[in-house]
Amino acid sequence: MSGAGRELRFPLTASALQALVREALREDHAENDVTTLATVHASRRAGARLVARETGVIAGVPLALAAFRLADPEVQVRVDAEDGMAVQPGDTVLHVAGRARGILAAERTALNFMQRLSGVASLTHRYVATVQGTRAAILDTRKTTPGWRALEKYAVRCGGGTNHRMDLASAVLIKDNHLAAVDGDIGAAVRRVRECAASGIPVQVECDTIDQLRAAIAAGADSVLLDNMSVEQMREAVAIAAGQVVTEASGGVRLDTVRAIAESGVDRISVGALTHSAPALNLALDFD
């Protein structure tokens, strides 16, 4: 699956995808849609379009397809906007044709998946577009919905963003609470990590001050997280780092501030809002 020139690998296996969507349909009691069963004849067939009501970037099409196919194994589907593609109001994302009961039973589940993930992709795209022309990459965080991390981080990629560490085991991030446990000694913390962690695992140190930045560089950190620094402090930090470590800005990043942060020269900007505060993209299912 591709979008906007990028190859996007959906993060769930076929069996995991089916299990997730099946559980979502079960949660909605889609098999006992009393309204549809009472009003729509079993033989009735229909077609419907899943359409965009606002500008955004699509994510979650495989989940919607699974919902419609589980509700009606004979449903016919045409995908017009794949994950990672931009849409405008009125654009068709996909068209389904089959048993009306099945389409209606799956409608909300399909939309719930796609509105949430497309919202993440769309917000990410806005951040990426805002820093275009700078060196800064836009990263997500671990501030994700429990059980949905792989999906939400996938949606970030659909929007053109980059994933930070996927979990606590995939990279080291020495934060203020870790440093408190070693009396603020960054050198000692990095040494302990190098001794205990797997060889080659990236090591990042959260720095609140320029002094901490210097200590992290001296300790041999791979990257530094410039936490809640002013733009002026970030410029100074970038000059001091001078390519010795990767610099990442974090803390309170907003759309109206991200451009100035990017222009400080940092390599990366992590934005928790991509996954914890993205509004759902307005999508709807319109019957033909």
Side-chain angles (χ1 to χ4, degrees):
M1 185 169 296
S2 64
R6 300 180 308 281
E7 289 299 321
L8 298 168
R9 183 184 297 275
F10 191 72
L12 303 185
T13 64
S15 59
L17 168 65
Q18 292 284 311
L20 176 63
V21 176
R22 188 175 287 110
E23 179 57 32
L25 290 168
R26 185 179 298 114
E27 176 185 59
D28 206 28
H29 285 274
E31 81 290 348
N32 189 30
D33 177 0
V34 292
T35 307
T36 297
L37 292 175
T39 59
V40 179
H41 194 278
S43 64
R44 179 76 178 190
R45 300 185 66 81
R49 295 187 310 135
L50 196 155
V51 299
R53 292 281 194 256
E54 61 180 324
T55 300
V57 174
I58 293 301
V61 167
L63 294 154
L65 297 184
F68 288 117
R69 286 167 176 162
L70 284 169
D72 177 7
E74 297 179 359
V75 71
Q76 296 180 338
V77 183
R78 184 190 74 232
V79 177
D80 291 340
E82 294 184 346
D83 284 357
M85 292 182 61
V87 291
Q88 302 294 325
D91 285 353
T92 299
V93 177
L94 56 87
H95 184 274
V96 294
R99 293 188 297 110
R101 282 184 174 182
I103 294 172
L104 287 166
E107 174 183 1
R108 177 44 52 196
T109 295
L111 286 172
N112 282 348
F113 280 121
M114 287 207 62
Q115 287 179 314
R116 168 61 184 159
L117 296 178
S118 297
V120 171
S122 300
L123 182 60
T124 301
H125 177 72
R126 293 179 67 189
Y127 273 91
V128 171
T130 301
V131 303
Q132 188 173 6
T134 71
R135 66 187 295 172
I138 297 296
L139 276 64
D140 55 23
T141 69
R142 287 170 40 250
K143 297 174 182 177
T144 54
T145 307
W148 274 55
R149 178 168 296 168
L151 291 172
E152 291 176 344
K153 281 181 171 281
Y154 166 73
V156 167
R157 299 196 300 275
C158 288
T162 301
N163 294 147
H164 204 285
R165 58 177 179 165
M166 292 297 293
D167 50 52
L168 292 170
S170 58
V172 171
L173 175 50
I174 301 171
K175 304 188 75 173
D176 53 356
N177 286 335
H178 299 105
L179 291 175
V182 291
D183 300 320
D185 189 337
I186 289 175
V190 173
R191 283 194 301 274
R192 290 182 184 180
V193 163
R194 297 293 190 197
E195 292 169 359
C196 298
S199 176
I201 194 168
V203 177
Q204 185 175 45
V205 179
E206 181 181 86
C207 300
D208 299 326
T209 67
I210 296 299
D211 285 343
Q212 287 183 324
L213 167 68
R214 294 184 190 276
I217 294 172
D222 299 302
S223 62
V224 290
L225 190 71
L226 308 177
D227 187 49
N228 286 298
M229 287 190 179
S230 67
V231 172
E232 292 73 22
Q233 287 175 308
M234 282 186 272
R235 287 198 190 98
E236 182 181 358
V238 169
I240 292 170
Q244 299 175 81
V245 293
V246 174
T247 54
E248 179 181 333
S250 181
V253 181
R254 307 187 309 271
L255 270 171
D256 61 347
T257 63
V258 70
R259 179 74 190 188
I261 293 170
E263 289 175 345
S264 73
V266 294
D267 299 299
R268 313 189 305 193
I269 304 172
S270 53
V271 186
L274 300 183
T275 51
H276 71 56
S277 296
L281 188 68
N282 190 355
L283 303 170
L285 191 73
D286 294 338
F287 271 59
D288 296 336

